[in-house]
């Protein structure tokens, strides 16, 4: 995606989506480009210029496939009133993350001091972004993360049950080592073949795919065009995979760090384009993102 109008004579490094020193970098770019700043969110090299098209709403997209009929699958199955952008964030480090416990849908795992700092870093990294609405899981570790990130914004936080984490039954709260020893078959299936992890006839990860579709519909058909979503790792895997048309067998093909930021664009047909996945530069220095 091109987030700007012209390319500087001294191009930015490919795939760069942030500035480590915003004031100085902005000033340098403005000096070179006459005040127009470009952020190129692509790994394309300088020898292969990006093809730029619009997606019907005036928004620039890269690569023709995004705007080709049936090149991607509509997530919503019916048109949206406008193109949408959705920023996804995983909650900060929780107490059970630190203790290496299975979390699932339990509300007993809370945000740690480190998790609060991570949430504050997410807030700073997105401080230049406007969001119409913020949606969060109501489970404590995500809820607290959302409250930190969204603090100071005018619109109220919206909590969706469809953003809750997968329910993992009797494994929840157990340390991974203990769960492996006490329930070796179930734990091994959960870790190595989660799509087929089953408890009393219920397949939590397969069920999560349906819940993710519910969440996408609640979010995408809400008023506005720029949304922030704070939720959990397994739910994020399901949201990302469903948007890309991938089934639950690809569950462990996606990984998201605590505080990791991902971004999707949706055209008016409800087709998804993954713009950024698991951005974490803001966790290690004072970055902010432009997209």
């Amino acid at each position: 995606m091109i987030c700007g109008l012209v390319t500087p004579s001294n191009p930015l490094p490919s795939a760069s989506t942030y500035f480590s020193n915003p004031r100085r970098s902005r000033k340098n770019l403005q000096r070179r480009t006459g005040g127009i700043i470009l952020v190129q969110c692509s790994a394309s090299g300088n020898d292969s210029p990006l093809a730029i098209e619009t997606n019907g709403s005036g928004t620039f997209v890269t690569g023709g496939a995004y705007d080709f009929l049936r090149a991607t699958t509509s997530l919503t199955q019916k048109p949206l009133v406008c193109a949408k952008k959705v920023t996804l964030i995983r909650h900060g480090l929780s107490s059970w993350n630190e203790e290496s416990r299975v979390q699932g849908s339990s509300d007993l795992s809370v945000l740690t001091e480190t998790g609060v700092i991570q949430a504050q870093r997410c807030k700073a990294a997105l401080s230049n972004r406007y969001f119409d609405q913020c949606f969060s899981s109501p489970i404590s570790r995500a809820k607290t993360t959302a409250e930190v990130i969204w603090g100071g914004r005018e619109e109220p936080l919206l909590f969706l049950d469809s953003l809750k984490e997968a329910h993992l039954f009797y494994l929840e709260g157990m340390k991974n080592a203990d769960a492996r020893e006490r329930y070796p078959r179930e734990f091994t299936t959960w870790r190595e073949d989660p799509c087929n992890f089953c408890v009393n006839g219920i397949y939590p990860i397969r069920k999560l795919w349906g819940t993710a579709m519910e969440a996408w519909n609640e979010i995408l058909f809400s008023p506005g065009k720029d949304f922030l979503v704070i939720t959990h790792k397994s739910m994020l895997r399901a949201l990302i995979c469903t948007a890309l048309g991938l089934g639950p067998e690809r569950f462990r093909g996606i990984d998201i760090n605590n505080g990791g930021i991902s971004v999707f664009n949706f055209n008016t047909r409800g087709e998804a384009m993954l713009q950024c996945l698991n951005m974490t530069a803001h966790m290690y220095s004072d970055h902010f993102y432009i997209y």
Side-chain angles (χ1 to χ4, degrees):
M1 178 178 182
I2 293 291
C3 307
L5 299 177
V6 296
T7 305
S9 56
N10 296 320
L12 296 172
S14 61
S16 175
T17 58
Y18 54 83
F19 299 108
S20 58
N21 188 329
R23 291 181 180 175
R24 184 175 62 195
S25 299
R26 281 175 176 268
K27 187 178 295 184
N28 290 343
L29 278 173
Q30 287 169 345
R31 191 176 297 128
R32 291 202 301 265
T33 66
I36 300 176
I37 297 175
L38 170 75
V39 175
Q40 180 172 317
C41 309
S42 170
S44 299
N46 296 329
D47 296 331
S48 55
L50 295 168
I52 303 175
E53 301 182 6
T54 63
N55 65 2
S57 67
T59 302
F60 287 104
V61 296
T62 58
Y66 185 61
D67 214 41
F68 283 179
L69 185 63
R70 289 186 296 276
T72 60
T73 302
S74 173
L75 188 65
T76 58
Q77 300 301 313
K78 53 185 177 180
L80 303 175
V81 295
C82 63
K84 311 263 183 171
K85 185 184 292 289
V86 182
T87 299
L88 306 169
I89 303 180
R90 184 185 173 194
H91 64 75
L93 188 75
S94 70
S95 54
W96 284 8
N97 286 148
E98 278 193 328
E99 296 168 9
S100 191
R101 294 182 185 273
V102 179
Q103 294 189 112
S105 60
S106 173
D107 206 21
L108 299 178
S109 176
V110 298
L111 205 63
T112 63
E113 289 184 12
T114 298
V116 171
I117 292 171
Q118 291 173 334
Q120 291 169 340
R121 284 191 167 276
C122 290
K123 180 177 183 175
L126 299 174
S127 60
N128 65 318
R129 293 289 308 171
Y130 172 79
F131 297 102
D132 294 295
Q133 297 189 66
C134 179
F135 302 93
S136 173
S137 161
I139 295 175
S140 174
R141 56 194 185 272
K143 180 176 182 287
T144 305
T145 300
E147 289 170 344
V148 172
I149 295 173
W150 197 246
R153 306 254 185 174
E154 292 183 6
E155 295 297 323
L157 265 172
L158 300 175
F159 297 102
L160 302 181
D161 285 342
S162 57
L163 289 174
K164 286 183 176 180
E165 186 61 299
H167 181 40
L168 298 179
F169 298 89
Y170 45 76
L171 294 183
E172 293 185 354
M174 297 188 69
K175 288 191 173 183
N176 284 294
D178 295 337
R180 183 183 292 110
E181 182 178 344
R182 184 171 178 181
Y183 302 106
R185 182 177 62 83
E186 292 87 345
F187 185 82
T188 299
T189 303
W190 161 237
R191 298 299 300 176
E192 298 181 6
D193 188 17
C195 179
N196 289 313
F197 173 65
C198 179
V199 178
N200 298 328
I202 297 174
Y203 293 82
I205 299 307
R206 299 183 193 182
K207 184 177 180 181
L208 194 65
W209 252 238
T211 308
M213 290 298 294
E214 292 176 17
W216 274 128
N217 277 281
E218 287 185 83
I219 294 163
L220 292 173
F221 287 108
S222 294
K225 61 181 181 180
D226 207 328
F227 303 126
L228 184 62
V229 176
I230 293 92
T231 185
H232 311 268
K233 186 176 187 176
S234 294
M235 173 51 73
L236 285 167
R237 285 169 159 165
L239 289 169
I240 292 166
C241 284
T242 52
L244 296 176
L246 302 174
E249 68 279 357
R250 302 300 302 159
F251 175 77
R252 295 208 184 276
I254 301 287
D255 198 17
I256 305 293
N257 294 76
N258 291 110
I261 299 174
S262 304
V263 182
F264 271 100
N265 293 312
F266 290 87
N267 62 18
T268 54
R269 293 193 294 271
E271 297 167 338
M273 173 184 273
L274 179 61
Q275 181 180 349
C276 308
L277 178 64
N278 195 31
M279 297 190 293
T280 57
H282 58 290
M283 289 296 161
Y284 309 102
S285 57
D286 296 327
H287 287 69
F288 73 96
Y289 297 106
I290 301 176
Y291 58 88

